Amino acid sequence: MNKPQPIILAGGLGTRLRDVVKDKPKVLASVNNKPFITYLLDKLIFAGFDSVFISTGYKGNMISEMIGSRYKTLEVYYSNEESPLGTGGAVKRASKLIDKDKILVLNGDTYISPNINKLIDKIDQNTEAVVTTRVKQNTRYNSISIDHNNHIISFNKETSKKSCIINSGLYLLCRKSILEYSFDKFSLEDDYIPYRLIKNKILSISFTGTFIDIGIPSDYFKAQNLL
């Protein structure tokens, strides 16, 4: 497949992390003396990408001032939300600036260890997909149900303390489909994916390995020992 266009979602308010990461977007939270977002940018470089869009919102100027228009070999572009649009709305806004058919969406506060190329190479050109992982004990995330062909059946609203499959925060989506979605403010998980599942198959690409989410203080502190 031709390489999709990466978009990093970096517009969240980060309210749950505010006690330990004050006065800046959570993607700039320091992990081993590096802004967390730079781990994602380095991962894209390793996978051979040459450009990235960063969707900003809360104190987005701090991100653009720190990262600039170029990070190592990556050309960096910005799509800024004047008011919160939700994850889906942020992707739709950024997609208006993009000319590629497929987009690779990365949550700005999560990190996975596998090579991105090995994941997206498993996906057909015309298929949308969510990268998933299994956790042994789940207290934070909505679970995902999949069928025997690894197609997603549903994103479940309730959390479960038992082992289950969860969304890792990485999506491969069709730009045209995002742009055709009727709303401008919406969630990928709660709105767009369930809407697409009604008529289309969405693949679950699973991996085993490190999954990091710095969204709450306890997991942010754990990340210091994982990256």
Side-chain angles (χ1 to χ4, degrees):
M1 136 178 337
N2 295 327
K3 280 193 177 298
Q5 177 61 59
I7 302 172
I8 296 177
L9 298 177
L13 295 175
T15 52
R16 293 177 298 175
L17 203 60
R18 198 69 55 80
D19 287 345
V20 293
V21 180
K22 293 178 171 57
D23 300 324
K24 60 183 174 183
K26 62 182 172 180
V27 299
L28 297 184
S30 179
V31 177
N32 293 326
N33 299 314
K34 288 178 56 176
F36 184 77
I37 194 173
T38 61
Y39 290 96
L40 303 181
L41 297 174
D42 287 334
K43 195 166 189 63
L44 292 173
I45 291 171
F46 182 79
F49 290 93
D50 55 18
S51 67
V52 62
F53 279 76
I54 302 178
S55 175
T56 59
Y58 173 72
K59 296 194 174 183
N61 61 306
M62 295 182 68
I63 300 172
S64 58
E65 288 170 4
M66 177 170 285
I67 304 298
S69 61
R70 190 171 184 85
Y71 175 81
K72 297 181 181 178
T73 59
L74 274 180
E75 294 289 342
V76 183
Y77 305 95
Y78 296 90
S79 172
N80 187 61
E81 306 171 43
E82 294 181 2
S83 61
L85 298 174
T87 52
V91 171
K92 183 175 181 179
R93 183 181 180 89
S95 293
K96 294 176 182 178
L97 307 173
I98 292 168
D99 59 7
K100 291 193 176 182
D101 294 333
K102 299 299 281 287
I103 50 179
L104 182 72
V105 180
L106 300 87
N107 281 354
D109 58 359
T110 60
Y111 175 94
I112 61 174
S113 58
N115 185 316
I116 292 174
N117 287 332
K118 291 182 179 179
L119 296 174
I120 63 177
D121 284 349
K122 298 178 182 179
I123 306 169
D124 181 82
Q125 184 74 33
N126 298 314
T127 302
E128 291 184 303
V130 177
V131 176
T132 61
T133 191
R134 179 173 287 278
V135 292
K136 293 180 179 178
Q137 188 175 25
N138 176 34
T139 57
R140 284 189 58 190
Y141 307 100
N142 296 335
S143 63
I144 296 176
S145 299
I146 62 172
D147 65 18
H148 63 282
N149 291 317
N150 290 322
H151 292 126
I152 294 174
I153 300 171
S154 63
F155 274 43
N156 307 313
K157 293 289 186 180
E158 76 285 350
T159 58
S160 170
K161 292 185 178 180
K162 61 185 179 181
S163 174
C164 64
I165 296 168
I166 65 167
N167 175 12
S168 75
L170 191 150
Y171 311 78
L172 187 71
L173 304 176
C174 295
R175 172 178 169 271
K176 181 180 178 182
S177 297
I178 281 282
L179 291 176
E180 289 176 348
Y181 190 71
S182 300
F183 301 96
D184 292 324
K185 183 177 180 179
F186 59 99
S187 161
L188 287 177
E189 273 198 336
D190 296 337
D191 302 312
Y192 180 76
I193 296 295
Y195 163 78
R196 292 290 288 164
L197 285 174
I198 295 172
K199 294 183 178 179
N200 300 274
K201 292 180 178 178
I202 296 180
L203 195 61
S204 165
I205 301 294
S206 63
F207 75 91
T208 56
T210 301
F211 168 68
I212 298 170
D213 180 345
I214 64 164
I216 62 174
S218 59
D219 287 344
Y220 168 66
F221 292 127
K222 287 179 185 176
Q224 309 291 333
N225 299 317
L226 294 173
L227 284 173

